[in-house]
Amino acid sequence: MVKQTRIVIIGSGNVATHMALALDRTADVCCVFSPTPGHASRLSEKLKAASATNDVSSIPDDADLYIVAVKDDAIADVARSIEITNGIWAHTSGSVPAEVFEGIKPKYGVFYPLQTFNLTTEVDFSKVPMLVEGNSPVTTADLIKVAQTISDRVSEADSATRGKFHLAAVFACNFVNYMWLIADSILKQDSFDLSYLEPLLKMTLANALQSSPEKTQTGPARRGDMHIIEKHRSMLPTEDAEIYDLISRQIMNHFKK
């Protein structure tokens, strides 16, 4: 029988939860640590055989992999607070370098899922790109092997490359979501909502992926239709009009080239 990778999950938020659920199908997720006991217990109860603890001294010291899925600015402090030096230590951040573990853990790296997570939406992890990095070729290879058990798209990516992925994701996900927030608020003025735009949103994404965002750009700014642009601006509050202006100018400037 092939020995399962023994994994400790440090954290209990959105990323930690989805990561633990995915890994639990193919590995031995043996422990969930969180400073809040209820949070650790809530996650461990969803797993096959994981213990839950808020006591660092109760974390198993014989795991193969310790996944630190906490806020970016807490990664180093969490790593220092747990004196275990066995196994590979890997965080899940897109913007924090692997070297945050340097001098704290002998074997370390990054185990970054390129996805947005919340606790109410299921995720098919096999479709989530995993970007990994290790502080040695052996560590990198070990992390890749674990990543390949949950994802069909695994790539090695250093800190600079992951930073670009994270920046791209902010534009493609976080900023776009805020645009949806504005669109939803506009529609709600007349008792409609974002669901009316669902076919449009799906088609926009499909076109961008099948061709390219540049080739599929449409709208008044792409056409240089200043009459419609001015009309739209007059319908918006000042803050949203400023966003509309900036993006419209960027679109027009880009396509003038």
Side-chain angles (χ1 to χ4, degrees):
M1 182 180 294
V2 178
K3 177 182 177 292
Q4 287 189 315
T5 303
R6 190 166 161 82
I7 299 173
V8 171
I9 302 293
I10 298 171
S12 57
N14 295 343
V15 177
T17 297
H18 285 283
M19 185 75 73
L21 290 171
L23 289 166
D24 199 47
R25 299 186 184 101
T26 57
D28 174 18
V29 180
C30 61
C31 180
V32 175
F33 167 82
S34 173
T36 307
H39 293 176
S41 297
R42 189 158 54 244
L43 175 52
S44 69
E45 288 167 2
K46 299 177 182 178
L47 306 174
K48 293 195 299 277
S51 62
T53 184
N54 68 327
D55 180 1
V56 294
S57 66
S58 297
I59 297 174
D61 63 2
D62 60 348
D64 303 299
L65 176 60
Y66 296 81
I67 295 179
V68 183
V70 300
K71 292 180 180 179
D72 289 1
D73 57 4
I75 294 171
D77 290 340
V78 168
R80 289 191 190 95
S81 70
I82 302 172
E83 296 181 357
I84 297 167
T85 55
N86 295 326
I88 298 172
W89 286 73
H91 67 68
T92 58
S93 171
S95 56
V96 176
E99 286 73 21
V100 70
F101 292 117
E102 191 171 7
I104 306 173
K105 309 298 181 186
K107 295 192 293 184
Y108 58 82
V110 179
F111 203 70
Y112 172 51
L114 187 57
Q115 179 59 284
T116 182
F117 298 99
N118 63 64
L119 295 180
T120 59
T121 305
E122 290 188 15
V123 173
D124 180 356
F125 233 100
S126 67
K127 297 179 181 178
V128 176
M130 289 294 301
L131 305 178
V132 303
E133 177 186 9
N135 69 321
S136 73
V138 172
T139 299
T140 300
D142 287 342
L143 288 172
I144 287 174
K145 286 179 184 177
V146 176
Q148 287 174 335
T149 67
I150 59 174
S151 171
D152 296 332
R153 195 168 190 178
V154 179
S155 299
E156 183 179 353
D158 61 17
S159 295
T161 301
R162 280 197 323 279
K164 291 175 183 176
F165 268 108
H166 192 242
L167 176 58
V170 168
F171 275 93
C173 175
N174 306 135
F175 289 174
V176 169
N177 191 79
Y178 189 73
M179 298 300 105
W180 293 346
L181 185 156
I182 294 174
D184 193 45
S185 67
I186 291 170
L187 294 174
K188 283 179 176 176
Q189 293 172 12
D190 292 307
S191 301
F192 296 103
D193 60 37
L194 196 65
S195 65
Y196 281 82
L197 297 184
E198 182 177 351
L200 174 67
L201 299 180
K202 289 181 176 179
M203 182 60 72
T204 302
L205 178 59
N207 287 342
L209 292 174
Q210 290 171 12
S211 180
S212 74
E214 183 171 53
K215 291 180 180 178
T216 58
Q217 181 70 54
T218 60
R222 176 67 180 91
R223 298 189 300 270
D225 193 339
M226 299 307 299
H227 175 71
I228 296 298
I229 289 173
E230 288 303 320
K231 181 178 180 180
H232 284 172
R233 287 186 74 261
S234 69
M235 298 167 64
L236 293 167
T238 301
E239 295 84 357
D240 292 347
E242 290 175 355
I243 295 172
Y244 187 99
D245 267 347
L246 176 61
I247 295 175
S248 294
R249 284 199 306 273
Q250 290 295 99
I251 291 171
M252 288 188 286
N253 289 339
H254 178 86
F255 286 97
K256 279 180 183 177
K257 300 175 184 177

Short mmCIF file of all heavy atoms in Angstrom, two decimals, residues 3 27 37 41 44 95 100 106 117 155 164 170 172 187 201 206 241 255:
data_model
loop_
_atom_site.label_atom_id
_atom_site.label_comp_id
_atom_site.label_asym_id
_atom_site.label_seq_id
_atom_site.Cartn_x
_atom_site.Cartn_y
_atom_site.Cartn_z
N LYS A 3 2.00 4.82 0.93
CA LYS A 3 1.80 5.66 2.11
C LYS A 3 1.23 7.01 1.69
O LYS A 3 1.74 7.67 0.77
CB LYS A 3 3.13 5.87 2.83
CG LYS A 3 3.05 6.80 4.04
CD LYS A 3 4.41 6.97 4.66
CE LYS A 3 4.38 7.97 5.82
NZ LYS A 3 4.10 9.34 5.36
N ALA A 27 -5.01 12.37 0.45
CA ALA A 27 -3.93 12.40 1.46
C ALA A 27 -4.51 12.19 2.85
O ALA A 27 -5.72 12.10 3.03
CB ALA A 27 -3.19 13.73 1.37
N PRO A 37 -10.75 27.76 18.57
CA PRO A 37 -11.07 26.33 18.64
C PRO A 37 -12.28 25.94 17.80
O PRO A 37 -12.28 24.91 17.12
CB PRO A 37 -11.33 26.09 20.13
CG PRO A 37 -10.63 27.20 20.83
CD PRO A 37 -10.67 28.38 19.91
N SER A 41 -12.43 23.09 14.81
CA SER A 41 -13.33 21.94 14.93
C SER A 41 -14.31 21.87 13.77
O SER A 41 -14.60 20.78 13.25
CB SER A 41 -14.11 22.03 16.26
OG SER A 41 -13.24 21.95 17.35
N SER A 44 -12.35 20.46 10.85
CA SER A 44 -11.92 19.06 11.05
C SER A 44 -13.08 18.08 10.94
O SER A 44 -12.91 16.95 10.49
CB SER A 44 -11.23 18.90 12.40
OG SER A 44 -12.15 19.03 13.47
N SER A 95 1.34 36.46 -3.28
CA SER A 95 2.19 37.65 -3.30
C SER A 95 3.32 37.62 -2.27
O SER A 95 4.17 38.51 -2.27
CB SER A 95 1.33 38.90 -3.05
OG SER A 95 0.60 38.78 -1.85
N VAL A 100 9.90 33.82 3.07
CA VAL A 100 9.34 34.21 4.37
C VAL A 100 9.65 33.14 5.42
O VAL A 100 9.71 33.43 6.62
CB VAL A 100 7.81 34.43 4.25
CG1 VAL A 100 7.08 33.12 4.01
CG2 VAL A 100 7.26 35.15 5.48
N PRO A 106 13.68 24.41 7.63
CA PRO A 106 14.70 23.94 6.68
C PRO A 106 14.17 23.70 5.27
O PRO A 106 14.83 23.99 4.28
CB PRO A 106 15.19 22.62 7.30
CG PRO A 106 14.76 22.66 8.72
CD PRO A 106 13.50 23.46 8.75
N PHE A 117 -12.04 32.02 -3.32
CA PHE A 117 -12.78 31.05 -2.52
C PHE A 117 -13.75 31.74 -1.56
O PHE A 117 -13.46 32.82 -1.04
CB PHE A 117 -11.82 30.20 -1.66
CG PHE A 117 -10.84 29.38 -2.45
CD1 PHE A 117 -9.54 29.83 -2.64
CD2 PHE A 117 -11.22 28.16 -3.00
CE1 PHE A 117 -8.63 29.08 -3.36
CE2 PHE A 117 -10.30 27.40 -3.72
CZ PHE A 117 -9.01 27.86 -3.90
N SER A 155 1.99 24.04 -12.13
CA SER A 155 3.17 24.66 -12.72
C SER A 155 4.10 25.16 -11.63
O SER A 155 3.65 25.57 -10.55
CB SER A 155 2.78 25.85 -13.61
OG SER A 155 1.94 25.46 -14.67
N LYS A 164 3.01 38.28 -10.58
CA LYS A 164 2.32 38.73 -11.79
C LYS A 164 0.97 38.04 -11.94
O LYS A 164 -0.02 38.66 -12.35
CB LYS A 164 3.20 38.47 -13.02
CG LYS A 164 4.44 39.37 -13.07
CD LYS A 164 5.34 39.00 -14.24
CE LYS A 164 6.59 39.86 -14.23
NZ LYS A 164 7.54 39.47 -15.30
N VAL A 170 -6.07 40.14 -9.60
CA VAL A 170 -6.74 41.30 -9.00
C VAL A 170 -7.54 42.05 -10.07
O VAL A 170 -8.69 42.43 -9.85
CB VAL A 170 -5.71 42.24 -8.33
CG1 VAL A 170 -6.36 43.57 -7.97
CG2 VAL A 170 -5.16 41.58 -7.07
N ALA A 172 -8.56 40.73 -13.05
CA ALA A 172 -9.55 39.86 -13.67
C ALA A 172 -10.67 39.44 -12.73
O ALA A 172 -11.77 39.12 -13.18
CB ALA A 172 -8.86 38.61 -14.22
N LEU A 187 -28.92 48.45 -11.65
CA LEU A 187 -30.13 47.71 -11.98
C LEU A 187 -31.14 47.70 -10.85
O LEU A 187 -32.36 47.73 -11.08
CB LEU A 187 -29.75 46.27 -12.36
CG LEU A 187 -28.92 46.12 -13.64
CD1 LEU A 187 -28.48 44.67 -13.82
CD2 LEU A 187 -29.70 46.59 -14.85
N LEU A 201 -22.54 38.27 -19.34
CA LEU A 201 -21.28 38.01 -18.64
C LEU A 201 -20.65 36.72 -19.15
O LEU A 201 -19.43 36.66 -19.39
CB LEU A 201 -21.51 37.93 -17.14
CG LEU A 201 -22.08 39.18 -16.45
CD1 LEU A 201 -22.25 38.94 -14.96
CD2 LEU A 201 -21.18 40.38 -16.69
N ALA A 206 -16.53 33.96 -22.42
CA ALA A 206 -16.29 32.95 -23.45
C ALA A 206 -15.55 33.56 -24.64
O ALA A 206 -14.59 32.97 -25.17
CB ALA A 206 -17.60 32.32 -23.91
N ALA A 241 -18.68 57.88 -11.84
CA ALA A 241 -18.40 58.59 -13.09
C ALA A 241 -16.89 58.71 -13.32
O ALA A 241 -16.41 58.62 -14.45
CB ALA A 241 -19.05 59.96 -13.09
N PHE A 255 -6.75 51.65 -28.06
CA PHE A 255 -7.10 51.30 -29.44
C PHE A 255 -6.72 52.37 -30.44
O PHE A 255 -6.71 52.12 -31.64
CB PHE A 255 -8.58 50.94 -29.53
CG PHE A 255 -8.88 49.58 -28.92
CD1 PHE A 255 -9.34 49.47 -27.62
CD2 PHE A 255 -8.62 48.43 -29.63
CE1 PHE A 255 -9.58 48.23 -27.05
CE2 PHE A 255 -8.84 47.19 -29.07
CZ PHE A 255 -9.33 47.08 -27.78
#
